[in-house]
Every structure is written in C-alpha cells, then in structure tokens.
Amino acid sequence: MTFKNPKSNISYKYAIVALIIIVIIIITSLVLDTQQGSDLKSMLLGILILAIAFTAVIGLGYSFMGIREPNTTKKIIGLIINSIITISLGLLFLSSVIEILPYLI
C-alpha cells in the first residue's frame, strides 16, 4: 500500500488528536468542578494544554513539510486545525507575558 500524502495524513492525525484532547479538557473541567480538587484540576488541565501545544506544533510542522503534496481535504483540514490551535495558544502565551510584564519592571 502506498501513500500519496504521508506528511499530510500525519498532520491530519495530529489535528484529530489535538481536537480529542480539547474535548477531554472540556469534560475534565466539567467533571472536576469542585473546590477540593482545585490543585489536581489545575495540574491535569496544564498537562493537557501542553499536550495540545505539542501535538498542534508537530502537526503544523508536518503540514508545512507536506505543502508540496497534492491538495486533499485531509491536508486542508490538518493545516487549518493545527494553525488555529497553534496561533491561539501562541496568543494566549503572549497575552500572559504582557499581563505579567508590568510586575517585572
């Protein structure tokens, strides 16, 4: 069996994994809605957000490596989802840095 778009397919799989982790985050934040498990909830959500960041960045890298492959729906979906997640997390990090910056000066 030969694949025409191996990099695009890998990028698509990473996008799907990132979306699944986002759903897990939503479910986890709804289930662990108690004050007693606040530390556990924070650590678990932080680890899941890092997992999303890594999968989205790796998926975006594979999207860019497969940019010369023929266009398919998987290629487009993988590129769009990974780009949106990576840009969103980058803007979230930037806003956190801007918010903390006055306290460091």
Side-chain angles (χ1 to χ4, degrees), residues 17-33:
V17 169
L19 288 176
I20 290 171
I21 296 173
I22 289 173
V23 170
I24 291 172
I25 284 178
I26 292 169
I27 293 170
T28 304
S29 65
L30 292 175
V31 169
L32 294 177
D33 197 24

Side-chain angles (χ1 to χ4, degrees), residues 74-95:
K74 283 186 175 182
K75 177 181 177 179
I76 303 292
I77 290 171
L79 181 64
I80 290 172
I81 292 174
N82 288 322
S83 297
I84 288 172
I85 293 172
T86 303
I87 290 170
S88 298
L89 289 174
L91 290 174
L92 179 67
F93 178 74
L94 183 65
S95 72

Side-chain angles (χ1 to χ4, degrees), residues 41-86:
K41 180 180 174 182
S42 296
M43 287 191 301
L44 187 61
L45 293 179
I47 290 170
L48 289 174
I49 289 173
L50 282 175
I52 289 174
F54 285 131
T55 57
V57 169
I58 291 170
L60 190 61
Y62 276 111
S63 290
F64 286 143
M65 285 191 277
I67 203 77
R68 292 182 186 217
E69 296 173 355
N71 289 339
T72 60
T73 55
K74 283 186 175 182
K75 177 181 177 179
I76 303 292
I77 290 171
L79 181 64
I80 290 172
I81 292 174
N82 288 322
S83 297
I84 288 172
I85 293 172
T86 303

